[in-house]
């Protein structure tokens, strides 16, 4: 084996070990998801009402995601935002979401860049599929989404309380500017 290949493999193994140790060092209670999700009902556009700050969403306004079930068993994902203001340059990306086996579609692995996948867990879902709380088990990602660009304050407050009860740092939530749709 070449010296460079060994070095790359060793660095990769060390990075993976650090990631495992880091995720294990946080003592979170197991994160409950909704019992089941009908991906055909979930399909369509969801507007971001609020989110925990994410590096890839920095400066984003007018954020939405569209989900389209694919007959091959995954969900096509399209994320959209305008950078640095409601009239800013469009930033978008396409990916795929794969249901986690045994989760009845309430847990998905989303992939925008191979081989990396992120957790997309549906934590609370309106029975009529009008608003949803989505997060990750490490409590570092959280989104409040709605079928409309605005959400009733009482519904929003309830969703924030639900997220808080699940251990998310809701004091860090940032509301998303959806002024392009008003």
């Amino acid at each position: 084996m070449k010296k460079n290949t060994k070095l790359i493999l060793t660095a990769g193994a060390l990075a993976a070990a650090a990631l495992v140790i880091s995720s294990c060092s946080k003592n979170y209670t197991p994160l409950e998801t909704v019992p089941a999700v009908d991906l055909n009902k979930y399909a369509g556009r969801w507007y971001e009402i609020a989110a925990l700050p994410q590096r890839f969403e920095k400066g984003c306004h007018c954020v939405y995601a569209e989900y389209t079930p694919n007959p091959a068993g995954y969900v096509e994902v399209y994320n959209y935002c305008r950078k640095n203001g409601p009239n800013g340059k469009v930033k978008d990306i396409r990916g795929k979401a794969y249901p986690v086996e045994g989760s009845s579609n309430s847990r998905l692995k989303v992939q925008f860049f191979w081989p990396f996948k992120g957790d997309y867990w549906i934590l609370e879902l309106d029975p009529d599929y009008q608003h949803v709380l989505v997060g990750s088990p490490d409590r570092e990602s959280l989104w409040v989404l709605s079928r409309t660009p605005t959400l009733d304050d009482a519904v929003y407050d309830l969703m924030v309380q639900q997220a808080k009860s699940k251990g998310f740092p809701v004091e860090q939530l940032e509301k998303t500017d959806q002024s392009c749709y008003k």
Side-chain angles (χ1 to χ4, degrees), residues 98-177:
Y98 301 90
V100 173
E101 190 174 325
S103 73
S104 298
N105 301 326
S106 66
R107 296 179 182 183
L108 299 125
K109 289 285 191 179
V110 179
Q111 182 175 55
F112 291 100
F113 302 102
W114 184 87
F116 305 103
K117 290 182 181 175
D119 291 311
Y120 184 100
W121 288 18
I122 300 170
L123 309 174
E124 300 289 339
L125 179 60
D126 172 62
D128 296 324
Y129 287 65
Q130 294 304 300
H131 50 269
V132 64
L133 186 65
V134 176
S136 61
D138 62 7
R139 282 36 173 217
E140 292 179 14
S141 299
L142 180 70
W143 292 273
V144 175
L145 306 175
S146 173
R147 292 294 190 175
T148 58
T150 59
L151 187 62
D152 180 76
D153 288 339
V155 173
Y156 176 77
D157 292 343
L158 174 63
M159 294 178 79
V160 170
Q161 285 307 312
Q162 291 168 328
K164 184 176 182 178
S165 74
K166 295 174 185 301
F168 285 89
V170 296
E171 65 282 352
Q172 296 175 26
L173 271 174
E174 294 180 1
K175 286 199 170 182
T176 305
D177 171 21

Side-chain angles (χ1 to χ4, degrees), residues 38-49:
D38 180 334
L39 293 177
N40 289 314
K41 283 185 181 179
Y42 199 83
R45 184 174 290 191
W46 290 92
Y47 294 90
E48 182 181 283
I49 303 302

